[in-house]
Every structure is written in C-alpha cells, then in structure tokens.
C-alpha cells in the first residue's frame, strides 16, 4: 500500500479510502490511485484485513453429492449469490451425511475463520445432524426440513408434486402413477406428499409408488414395470433424469408418449427440452434458493443474532410435449 501511495503521490490513508470505496475522495485522485494499483499489480492482504476487521468475508458451504443436478445447481446458486454480496466461498463436499461428517465439516470451516455457513441438507439425516449440533457460527440450511436450530430456505416440493399431478388429472387421466426418489431425501418425501394430496383431493386412489434413486437407470427399470401394466396412462416422475429412463423404457416397449402415456418430470434440467418428446416438468429456481439463503445468512451476520425462519421458494410448471389428453 505504501508503494501505491508513493506511485500515485498520495498518502497511505488516501489509498486506504480508495480501496474501501470511501466517498470523500476526489474522482481524479481516485483514478490516479487505481492506475497505480493496476501498474504495480497490488492486491490487498485479505488475511491481514480479516485480523483487523474480525471478518474474513468468507462463507462456508457444506454439500453432499454434487454430481446430482439439484445439489450442484444449489451450490452454484449459493456461490453466485455470495459473490454478489461481496463474499468468498469455501466449499466442503461430503461423501455421506451423518452427524460426525457434518461436525467435521463445520469444524473445518470454523478453523478457516468463515463468517457464516450454508449447509445443503436435502436428506433427513443431514437435517437431523444439524438439529443435534451446537452451532457457534450463523448457519442456514438449504433444502432442509422444518426450521429448528437453524434457518431453512427451500423449494416448496409439496406444491411441485401437486402441480404435476393436477396437470395430469386436468387432462382427464383417471389416476397418476409416481416414480419416487430415495426415501431419505426430503425433496422426494415432499413430492410424494404433493402427488398423494392432489389425488386424494380429486377422489382418486393413489397407486403404490415405484422407488428410484434419481438415476436414469432406476427410471428405466421403473418404466419397464409401468409399460407392462395395461391401465397406466399418466406418470409423474420425481426428477428429469429418472424421467429420461422412463421415456427410454417406454420407447423400447412400444409405448407412445404422449399418445398412450403422459409423463411429467421435476427439476427442468437444461437437457429436458431436448428429450424425445420434450419433457413437461416442474422447474426449481436454484438461483432464488441460493440468493435467499445468502440473504438470510447476511441478515444474521449484520444483525448479530440467529433468527429461526423457513423461507419457501415456489416451483414453476413448464408445459412441453410429453403430456396430452387421456
């Protein structure tokens, strides 16, 4: 900083004011300091700054299985929102979610001096692990369950399941079959609840769900089972990747979509509009989830206390070519 001050012909304090975007600096002086910074390749020592301010401007993120579209998109949304709010991000990705793993991740991030932590907690085991842990740092759970010890930001999975099922019922289908996600996932649980509630409200019997694991292969196996049944005309699949497998199985078994069977997915992955046929689906706004998660966390940091709240982001119905009248 002293080198920058000498190059620009200003005081050390003036350089500091420019770096901190202080308003009481003349525009020509600011331009001269910025030119000196570029010329010398100056970078602020963030570690030293953190020691002075007691804030690292870094947020920790704990995530699980970022190979899946939902968790990966959520982490990306969090990272974008954090950068927009002026924070860096340090990410810990866990192979499995349990109390010991979450505790180790939180300890690791605390040792780095992060100001706050976002935990992507789509599984019930992750939510339970957070509920049992003493948290000394402001923490927000994204895609978690009910607000407890930490704030929760999530997409309304129940509403998404209802949207998909009500669309299929509105097309005249007698009932809607469901290919569900893994039972330990809160998102899968919410989508099942929305599907079942929509059928009950319409006075229709809910068939037994076919369990999947989010992969196209599990959707393919479920699709083969569904294709062998004569009374299936509508299927709600808990994610687009499993829906891809269902469509493949139907094609191989000579079942035409949407002429014979209508299919609705969930997530609206970028490839879904290029499926054959283009997939009708439910879109999750992962950018909004990340933005709200960071907003809640920053409010805690600025307010000096940890609120208990649950912020829900509504899903959106996306109509394409995989559904038709019964």
């Amino acid at each position: 900083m002293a080198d920058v001050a000498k190059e620009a012909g200003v005081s050390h304090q003036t350089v500091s004011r420019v770096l901190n975007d202080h308003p009481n600096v003349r525009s020509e002086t600011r331009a001269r300091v910025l030119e000196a910074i570029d010329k010398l390749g100056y970078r602020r020592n963030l570690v030293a700054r953190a020691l002075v301010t007691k804030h690292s401007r870094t947020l920790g993120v704990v995530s699980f299985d970022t190979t899946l579209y939902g968790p990966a998109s959520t982490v990306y949304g969090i990272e974008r929102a954090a950068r927009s709010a002026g924070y860096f991000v340090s990410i810990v990705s866990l192979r499995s979610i349990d109390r010991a793993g979450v505790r180790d991740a939180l300890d690791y991030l605390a040792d780095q001096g992060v100001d706050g932590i976002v935990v992507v907690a789509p599984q019930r085991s992750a939510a339970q692990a957070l509920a049992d842990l003493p948290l000394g740092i402001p923490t927000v759970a994204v895609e978690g369950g009910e607000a407890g010890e930490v704030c929760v930001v999530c997409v309304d999975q129940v509403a998404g399941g209802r949207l998909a099922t009500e669309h299929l019922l509105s097309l005249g289908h007698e009932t809607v079959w469901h290919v569900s996600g893994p039972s330990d996932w809160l998102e899968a649980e919410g989508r099942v609840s929305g599907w079942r509630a929509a059928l009950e409200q319409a006075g229709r019997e809910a068939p037994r769900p076919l369990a999947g694991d989010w992969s196209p292969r599990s959707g393919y196996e479920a699709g083969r089972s569904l294709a062998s049944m004569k009374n299936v005309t509508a299927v709600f699949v808990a994610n687009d990747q499993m829906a891809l497998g269902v469509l493949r199985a139907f094609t191989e078994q000579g079942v035409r979509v949407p002429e014979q069977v209508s299919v609705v997915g969930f997530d609206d992955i970028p490839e879904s509009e290029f499926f054959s046929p283009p997939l009708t689906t439910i879109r999750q706004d992962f950018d909004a989830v990340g933005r709200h998660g960071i907003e809640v966390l920053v409010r805690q940091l600025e307010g000096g206390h940890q609120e208990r709240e649950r912020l829900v982001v509504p899903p959106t119905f996306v109509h394409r070519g995989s559904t038709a009248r019964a």
Side-chain angles (χ1 to χ4, degrees):
M1 194 179 291
D3 293 336
V4 171
K6 182 178 179 181
E7 177 69 26
V10 297
S11 68
H12 176 279
Q13 290 82 357
T14 298
V15 175
S16 179
R17 284 194 289 270
V18 170
L19 290 171
N20 290 297
D21 204 24
H22 196 282
N24 294 335
V25 180
R26 289 186 299 175
S27 57
E28 58 268 25
T29 302
R30 187 184 303 276
R32 199 161 68 248
V33 170
L34 293 174
E35 183 180 349
I37 287 172
D38 288 340
K39 179 179 178 181
L40 298 176
Y42 171 73
R43 294 291 182 272
R44 281 187 287 185
N45 187 325
L46 297 178
V47 175
R49 185 167 185 245
L51 288 172
V52 173
T53 64
K54 309 300 182 186
H55 295 289
S56 64
R57 303 297 298 179
T58 300
L59 302 178
V61 177
V62 180
S63 184
F64 166 71
D65 200 350
T66 50
T67 61
L68 293 173
Y69 177 76
S73 299
T74 301
V75 170
Y76 180 60
I78 291 168
E79 197 272 336
R80 279 166 49 101
R83 276 193 289 117
S84 296
Y87 286 87
F88 300 97
V89 169
S90 178
I91 300 174
V92 177
S93 185
L94 301 178
R95 292 185 177 221
S96 62
I97 293 285
D98 54 36
R99 192 179 191 281
V102 173
R103 173 80 274 175
D104 288 345
L106 294 176
D107 286 344
Y108 173 80
L109 291 169
D111 288 344
Q112 289 190 13
V114 299
D115 294 333
I117 296 175
V118 180
V119 181
V120 182
Q123 290 179 288
R124 183 163 296 283
S125 54
Q128 290 171 345
L130 277 177
D132 295 338
L133 292 173
L135 300 170
I137 299 176
T139 303
V140 172
V142 170
E143 295 302 345
E146 296 298 323
E149 291 303 310
V150 299
C151 300
V152 171
V153 178
C154 61
V155 172
D156 191 337
Q157 306 294 337
V158 175
R162 289 187 70 104
L163 280 173
T165 308
E166 288 170 353
H167 167 68
L168 292 166
L169 291 175
S170 73
L171 294 173
H173 297 280
E174 285 300 313
T175 191
V176 178
W177 291 73
H178 183 48
V179 180
S180 67
S183 59
D184 185 43
W185 284 66
L186 296 163
E187 295 168 328
E189 185 180 290
R191 293 168 201 177
V192 168
S193 296
W195 161 75
R196 198 181 302 278
L199 289 176
E200 289 176 357
Q201 185 174 349
R204 313 296 171 83
E205 186 176 348
R208 184 182 181 86
L210 286 75
D213 62 7
W214 300 132
S215 71
R217 176 170 291 280
S218 69
Y220 175 78
E221 295 300 331
R224 286 173 59 89
S225 297
L226 290 166
S228 68
M229 304 175 191
K230 300 301 182 185
N231 60 339
V232 175
T233 66
V235 183
F236 164 42
V237 189
N239 79 338
D240 291 351
Q241 287 154 327
M242 290 195 298
L244 175 62
V246 169
L247 292 175
R248 169 70 180 270
F250 282 175
T251 299
E252 289 184 355
Q253 299 299 313
V255 176
R256 290 173 294 130
V257 177
E259 292 84 358
Q260 292 175 279
V261 180
S262 290
V263 177
V264 176
F266 206 107
D267 279 343
D268 192 28
I269 64 175
E271 298 85 0
S272 62
E273 65 179 309
F274 302 104
F275 286 4
S276 182
L279 185 65
T280 297
T281 187
I282 305 298
R283 176 181 297 147
Q284 301 195 77
D285 191 342
F286 294 108
D287 279 343
V289 170
R291 184 173 66 254
H292 290 313
I294 295 300
E295 287 172 354
V296 170
L297 187 56
V298 170
R299 281 204 302 271
Q300 292 182 28
L301 295 172
E302 293 177 348
H305 65 281
Q306 187 159 333
E307 304 171 6
R308 304 289 186 269
E309 62 179 301
R310 186 172 187 265
L311 197 156
V312 178
V313 176
T316 306
F317 176 73
V318 181
H319 190 209
R320 295 195 181 104
S322 64
T323 57
R325 297 201 62 82

